[in-house]
Amino acid sequence: MGKGAVFQIREWPLYQTGDYDFTRMPNIQRVIALDLGLVNDKTVISLMYWDPYERTAFLHKQICVQGIEEAVPSQYINHLLRPVVFGTPIVLPADANTAGRYTMSSNSIRELFESYELNVYHKAIMNPPDQEGRVTNHKSYGINQMRQMLEVGSLMVNQNCTQFVSDAQNYYVDSQGRFSDPDDTIDSCRYALLACLQGIAEPWDNRTSQQRMMAARDKYMKPRDESNKAAIKKTYDPGG
């Protein structure tokens, strides 16, 4: 990728909330991606919808978390626990496994999310394997995918994602191939798009928010199998 502006888009493929009813679109999938920030960087949560047949992605919403909320992850997990998105696959970058890096504790952010029963993808989000089977996290692959899809209109952006559009319009690469800052919103979108392109996004289940939360509650309230336990260790059930 040469020097200069990265996203030279003549007409940005924007849409308004309400233009698409994703709950009624056949085959639609969705995924959540996080770019994790520290101190001066934002943590950005992206919700992306994906039509695998039309090969079209929709960056539907981004939440930029800063300040006290960003410094204490348990305070912004509430965005991921909302019934309308609960159960959506969540992809995290490679350093999300580093203990204490984002949690100020011995836990990693992945472990913290899993403790809340969030549907966290089991691997760090990376680029797909190259022709030699190597898996990398080089930024240029995902950026090129985003640029090409924006140019042809197969990556649609909700007009409410104003910070993403602003960052992308001012995004550039220098003569040494280094990308500019800020890039938090761009990286969050890039992770979501990589997840879509690699089949990590999951189909919309067409259930109501209440049904989805009830199913999650029932899953973790099922009685445990204690048939192999000694009688003295079994849970007492007064109902027999």
Side-chain angles (χ1 to χ4, degrees):
M1 183 174 287
K3 177 183 177 181
V6 175
F7 301 108
Q8 299 183 35
I9 311 299
R10 179 174 299 178
E11 185 174 348
W12 285 80
L14 303 178
Y15 70 95
Q16 297 182 11
T17 300
D19 286 349
Y20 300 95
D21 185 351
F22 295 106
T23 66
R24 295 180 179 274
M25 292 173 62
N27 309 311
I28 203 70
Q29 300 177 357
R30 61 181 182 169
V31 70
I32 290 174
L34 279 85
D35 180 59
L36 302 169
L38 277 173
V39 188
N40 295 322
D41 291 331
K42 298 185 290 292
T43 287
V44 181
I45 305 170
S46 293
L47 171 63
M48 182 173 285
Y49 289 95
W50 170 245
D51 185 334
Y53 292 92
E54 297 294 334
R55 306 287 292 178
T56 300
F58 303 83
L59 179 60
H60 190 63
K61 187 172 185 178
Q62 283 195 328
I63 298 173
C64 298
V65 184
Q66 290 180 287
I68 296 175
E69 189 180 20
E70 189 276 331
V72 185
S74 57
Q75 293 191 20
Y76 66 75
I77 285 177
N78 64 85
H79 297 297
L80 305 172
L81 290 171
R82 291 173 57 231
V84 70
V85 296
F86 186 78
T88 303
I90 299 171
V91 294
L92 299 172
D95 59 355
N97 293 327
T98 305
R101 179 169 171 80
Y102 297 104
T103 62
M104 310 301 176
S105 73
S106 60
N107 291 336
S108 69
I109 197 74
R110 177 181 294 278
E111 291 172 324
L112 180 62
F113 281 12
E114 289 174 345
S115 72
Y116 281 84
E117 310 296 351
L118 294 169
N119 184 14
V120 184
Y121 186 63
H122 64 281
K123 295 181 181 179
I125 187 64
M126 304 286 278
N127 296 330
D130 61 20
Q131 293 181 345
E132 298 179 1
R134 295 174 301 187
V135 176
T136 69
N137 195 29
H138 295 158
K139 185 176 290 191
S140 57
Y141 175 86
I143 294 298
N144 275 321
Q145 291 291 325
M146 289 173 61
R147 177 179 56 80
Q148 293 169 16
M149 293 178 69
L150 285 166
E151 287 176 349
V152 301
S154 58
L155 171 54
M156 306 286 291
V157 180
N158 191 303
Q159 65 176 13
N160 289 329
C161 298
T162 54
Q163 190 61 56
F164 170 82
V165 175
S166 176
D167 291 346
Q169 288 175 334
N170 293 286
Y171 201 49
Y172 68 89
V173 61
D174 66 19
S175 58
Q176 298 181 348
R178 295 174 299 195
F179 292 95
S180 65
D181 283 322
D183 61 358
D184 311 293
T185 60
I186 294 169
D187 280 347
S188 182
C189 176
R190 176 169 62 92
Y191 296 146
L193 186 60
L194 287 173
C196 293
L197 295 173
Q198 295 181 78
I200 298 173
E202 289 185 359
W204 173 268
D205 56 21
N206 217 22
R207 292 184 294 177
T208 66
S209 301
Q210 291 77 12
Q211 288 171 329
R212 192 175 301 110
M213 291 297 281
M214 186 176 294
R217 183 200 65 186
D218 292 344
K219 175 181 177 182
Y220 296 105
M221 292 185 68
K222 287 180 179 178
R224 292 172 294 181
D225 181 8
E226 299 183 342
S227 58
N228 294 326
K229 284 187 176 182
I232 195 171
K233 294 184 178 181
K234 290 184 179 180
T235 304
Y236 173 65
D237 182 1

